[in-house]
């Protein structure tokens, strides 16, 4: 693998501490980093290399998936870390950084391959890109990559503007937009599961599928992010990105051994086929909720409006459920129900595929429960298939039987390990292409407009529940219900 510099903006922040350093360490242990690499941590704090390394070590001890078994090995890993005090506004700081990076590259005899990783708020993206350009940091002969985290814009218009700006410095193929749901091992399995299993391929159509449910429920509330979250809400924070990415990954019909381009093309086709929401449909197809007080795992919790930093009349959405349809040959007529929210009963990210009941028509016999294929993405990974079988004791009874595959998530790489590894290799398959991002904003824009204009009711739901009852009604009126809400 190419030697390269990992240039981390926001190296003193929370994401770096919890996710990025542990991910780098696990990749190092798995020998998935280049033999020669340097991590340049950037931040405004008056840190030196010594303090920086101590912080990285601390983060690894606290958050790494694999525990530190050999302190000497950790020391060796930390030798590749350097700190540079940088104010993202100041051009002269980038010039200083450039000198530092060049010195190191010369010491190592390494090519100027540079991965700029922005673990900072989106308001800094344009400015940093511009300074990288002007300081010459990005104009060397090696490769350069610009890795950014969602949110990409605040709505369709601002996302387009941001993209135009970034394209002045970086080409589309140099921009790696992280959607960490695409790094989750179960989500990464979907492509191959479908490609390599003729049985699944055969079933993957409106001929056999009655409906599909995609859920990402969280127990946490707004946490310490009131400033960000109250301007963002569940639609922008989760739905426009993670939820629609899950939809694309599940429903795209990927060709065998697909290339990055093919995967992206198929995902784009899905988003293009999602029936647009007209403003008058929003109140029928979208449920907006906000958590009230309640209890989670026996602990009382306050309402959203009582959270520190949230206005007591905030209309922000902490829950959304939506129904949509993909108008293409495979999926026409299959309703998709997608929901996500905070302060719900349990942490659970899952996809449920509910199959139709063809037997019923042919035999007239009732079947007790439909066949279900379930992908559990979090907190633990599993895939199970619910079939119907004769009860071995009470033989007149038909009972569900589960074919179950489970993995202990401790044995699996974390999303950030997968994504940092791929970005380092220049593999953009599991990163969001601009086309997908733009189409996703386009689809949610009528929802954002309706929420802003308050033409959709805001339903308060009890913390610790499964969201507002109107979300159940969204399915009940089609004759379905959310599976596993118990
Ligand atoms: C982030 C959101 O993108 O995803 C958070 O900003 C949310 O609000 C988080 O809590 C959920 O991620 P995961 O991996 O815990 O499901």
């Amino acid at each position: 693998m190419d030697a390269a510099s990992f240039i981390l903006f926001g190296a003193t922040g929370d994401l770096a501490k919890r996710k990025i350093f542990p991910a780098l360490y696990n990749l190092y242990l798995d020998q998935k980093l280049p033999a020669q690499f340097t991590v340049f941590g950037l931040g405004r704090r008056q840190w030196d290399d010594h303090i920086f390394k101590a912080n990285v070590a601390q983060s690894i001890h606290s958050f790494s998936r694999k525990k530190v078994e050999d302190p000497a090995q950790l020391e060796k890993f930390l030798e590749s870390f350097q700190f540079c005090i940088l104010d993202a506004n100041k051009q002269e700081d980038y010039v200083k950084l450039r000198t530092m990076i060049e010195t190191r590259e010369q010491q190592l005899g390494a090519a100027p391959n540079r991965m700029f990783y922005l673990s900072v708020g989106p308001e800094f993206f344009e400015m940093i890109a511009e300074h990288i350009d002007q300081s010459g940091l990005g104009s060397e002969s090696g490769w350069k990559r610009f890795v950014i985290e969602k949110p990409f814009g605040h709505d369709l218009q601002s996302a387009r503007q941001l993209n135009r700006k970034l394209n002045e410095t970086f080409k589309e193929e140099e921009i790696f937009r992280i959607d960490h749901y695409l790094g989750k091992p179960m989500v990464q399995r979907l492509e191959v599961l479908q490609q390599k299993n003729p049985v699944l391929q055969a079933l993957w159509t409106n001929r056999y599928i009655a409906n599909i449910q995609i859920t990402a429920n969280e127990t946490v509330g707004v946490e310490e992010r009131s400033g960000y979250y109250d301007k963002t809400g569940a639609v922008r924070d989760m739905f426009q990105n993670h939820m629609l990415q899950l939809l694309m990954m599940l429903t795209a019909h990927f060709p065998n051994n697909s290339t990055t381009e093919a995967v992206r093309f198929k995902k784009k086709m899905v988003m293009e086929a999602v029936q647009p929401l007209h403003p008058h449909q929003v109140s029928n197809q979208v449920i907006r909720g906000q958590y009230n007080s309640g209890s989670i795992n026996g602990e009382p919790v306050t309402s959203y409006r009582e959270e520190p930093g949230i206005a007591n009349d905030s209309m922000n959405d902490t829950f959304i459920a939506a129904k949509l349809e993909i108008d293409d040959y495979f999926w026409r007529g299959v309703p998709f129900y997608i929901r996500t929210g905070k302060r719900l009963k349990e942490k659970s990210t899952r996809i449920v595929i509910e199959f139709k009941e063809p037997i019923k028509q042919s035999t007239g016999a009732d079947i007790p429960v439909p066949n279900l294929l379930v992908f559990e993405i979090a907190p633990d990974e599993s895939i199970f298939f619910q079939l119907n079988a004769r009860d071995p004791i009470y033989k007149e009874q038909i009972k569900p039987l589960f074919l179950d595959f489970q993995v202990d998530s401790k044995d699996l790489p974390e999303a950030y390990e997968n994504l940092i590894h791929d970005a380092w290799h220049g593999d953009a398959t599991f990163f969001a292409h601009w086309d997908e991002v733009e189409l996703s904003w386009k689809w949610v824009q009528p929802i954002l407009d309706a929420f802003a204009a308050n033409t959709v009711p805001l339903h308060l739901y009890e913390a610790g529940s499964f969201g507002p009852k109107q979300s159940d009604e969204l399915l009940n009126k089609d004759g379905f219900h959310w599976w596993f809400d118990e």
Side-chain angles (χ1 to χ4, degrees):
M1 200 193 310
D2 296 341
S5 299
F6 187 91
I7 302 155
L8 178 61
F9 291 82
T12 59
D14 206 51
L15 183 73
K17 178 170 81 184
R18 286 173 186 276
K19 299 289 181 192
I20 299 174
F21 300 139
L24 286 168
Y25 180 63
N26 283 289
L27 288 171
Y28 176 75
L29 291 183
D30 288 344
Q31 300 181 346
K32 287 186 165 176
L33 289 184
Q36 284 183 330
F37 68 94
T38 311
V39 177
F40 293 94
L42 313 175
R44 270 186 310 185
R45 292 196 203 167
Q46 299 297 309
W47 284 7
D48 56 18
D49 288 355
H50 184 70
I51 304 178
F52 181 45
K53 288 179 193 193
N55 274 273
V56 175
Q58 186 56 47
S59 113
I60 289 165
H61 284 297
S62 309
F63 299 108
S64 172
R65 177 169 69 84
K66 294 188 184 177
K67 294 297 148 213
V68 178
E69 280 170 6
D70 179 358
Q73 197 181 24
L74 175 60
E75 275 309 307
K76 183 101 193 77
F77 171 70
L78 291 173
E79 279 173 14
S80 302
F81 283 68
Q82 296 189 8
F83 193 75
C84 176
I85 301 169
L86 178 134
D87 180 338
N89 284 302
K90 290 197 182 144
Q91 179 65 21
E92 62 267 30
D93 284 1
Y94 291 81
V95 176
K96 183 178 72 181
L97 172 65
R98 183 177 169 186
T99 311
M100 193 169 164
I101 296 175
E102 283 174 353
T103 308
R104 174 75 174 169
E105 284 165 353
Q106 277 157 17
Q107 274 167 5
L108 297 176
N113 297 321
R114 296 173 187 168
M115 177 145 96
F116 300 97
Y117 193 114
L118 274 64
S119 175
V120 292
E123 63 277 18
F124 293 103
F125 293 173
E126 286 180 35
M127 184 214 297
I128 292 176
E130 224 174 282
H131 282 305
I132 289 174
D133 190 27
Q134 285 166 8
S135 63
L137 260 172
S139 55
E140 305 282 356
S141 53
W143 53 250
K144 62 177 189 286
R145 291 180 192 135
F146 190 70
V147 185
I148 48 178
E149 291 265 343
K150 61 153 264 270
F152 314 115
H154 192 66
D155 53 17
L156 179 59
Q157 198 196 346
S158 59
R160 281 179 172 158
Q161 193 186 326
L162 169 65
N163 199 55
R164 261 196 306 274
K165 244 1 244 180
L166 296 184
N167 282 155
E168 288 172 12
T169 309
F170 295 97
K171 296 195 244 22
E172 171 62 30
E173 57 273 23
E174 292 172 333
I175 303 177
F176 286 68
R177 297 179 195 80
I178 288 200
D179 183 307
H180 79 276
Y181 271 49
L182 289 176
K184 292 185 185 263
M186 181 56 82
V187 179
Q188 298 202 341
R189 281 183 209 271
L190 291 172
E191 176 199 358
V192 170
L193 270 171
Q194 196 212 99
Q195 279 170 343
K196 304 290 176 198
N197 294 291
V199 165
L200 292 186
Q201 272 168 18
L203 293 175
W204 234 234
T205 83
N206 50 12
R207 198 157 164 200
Y208 301 112
I209 293 177
N211 75 82
I212 293 187
Q213 306 175 9
I214 306 180
T215 294
N217 287 348
E218 296 188 88
T219 51
V220 292
V222 62
E223 299 177 287
E224 279 82 48
R225 301 195 303 160
S226 55
Y228 157 78
Y229 195 79
D230 205 42
K231 290 197 281 318
T232 308
V235 182
R236 293 184 172 93
D237 186 47
M238 295 285 292
F239 197 96
Q240 181 272 338
N241 35 75
H242 305 326
M243 306 311 286
L244 291 179
Q245 283 292 344
L246 290 181
L247 174 80
M248 289 180 246
M249 287 305 294
L250 182 77
T251 56
H253 282 77
F254 296 117
N256 236 342
N257 303 323
S258 25
T259 58
T260 300
E261 290 68 34
V263 168
R264 291 173 148 194
F265 177 69
K266 291 287 178 183
K267 286 170 70 187
K268 179 178 165 194
M269 276 175 72
V270 168
M271 265 328 288
E272 280 173 342
V274 177
Q275 278 192 342
L277 263 185
H278 295 288
H280 68 272
Q281 294 171 312
V282 178
S283 56
N284 273 332
Q285 286 183 226
V286 178
I287 308 298
R288 169 168 71 150
Q290 185 189 82
Y291 62 83
N292 215 332
S293 55
S295 77
I296 306 266
N297 299 326
E299 293 290 321
V301 295
T302 66
S303 69
Y304 178 70
R305 290 174 184 175
E306 288 165 324
E307 297 272 18
I310 304 292
N312 60 9
D313 57 353
S314 169
M315 295 294 282
N316 191 31
D317 47 304
T318 65
F319 176 96
I320 173 176
K323 172 182 168 180
L324 55 82
E325 216 177 294
I326 300 174
D327 190 16
D328 70 8
Y329 169 80
F330 294 105
W331 297 112
R332 191 165 299 127
V334 178
F336 287 80
Y337 305 101
I338 304 182
R339 65 176 168 172
T340 180
K342 297 216 179 269
R343 284 284 189 238
L344 297 168
K345 181 153 184 213
E346 57 183 15
K347 166 82 185 169
S348 120
T349 311
R350 77 162 66 94
I351 298 170
V352 179
I353 299 170
E354 177 177 338
F355 291 93
K356 292 182 177 173
E357 303 183 10
I359 303 164
K360 199 168 173 180
Q361 288 121 38
S362 56
T363 64
D366 248 355
I367 62 166
V369 284
N371 290 152
L372 300 177
L373 177 59
V374 181
F375 298 99
E376 296 278 358
I377 299 166
D380 290 313
E381 282 211 347
S382 68
I383 303 176
F384 72 86
F385 202 2
Q386 176 177 289
L387 302 173
N388 290 301
R390 184 181 298 287
D391 186 287
I393 300 162
Y394 304 104
K395 295 196 172 142
E396 68 289 358
Q397 290 182 15
I398 308 267
K399 288 252 173 86
L401 169 152
F402 302 97
L403 304 182
D404 205 347
F405 158 77
Q406 293 189 23
V407 216
D408 190 337
S409 28
K410 287 197 300 301
D411 300 333
L412 294 172
E414 285 202 6
Y416 279 90
E417 286 175 58
N418 283 331
L419 295 173
I420 291 174
H421 172 263
D422 289 358
W424 214 308
H425 274 84
D427 180 351
T429 311
F430 293 112
F431 291 81
H433 188 279
W434 165 245
D435 293 342
E436 298 153 26
V437 174
E438 184 180 37
L439 286 163
S440 304
W441 276 120
K442 218 169 168 175
W443 195 81
V444 300
Q445 191 60 51
I447 304 180
L448 298 176
D449 295 341
F451 285 9
N454 266 321
T455 52
V456 174
L458 177 73
H459 304 288
L460 296 182
Y461 59 94
E462 192 187 336
S465 68
F466 282 101
K469 65 175 187 329
Q470 287 77 6
S471 134
D472 300 331
E473 287 159 11
L474 187 69
L475 280 72
N476 297 162
K477 62 187 184 201
D478 296 338
F480 302 122
H481 63 272
W482 293 108
W483 287 97
F484 312 111
D485 279 7
E486 56 221 19

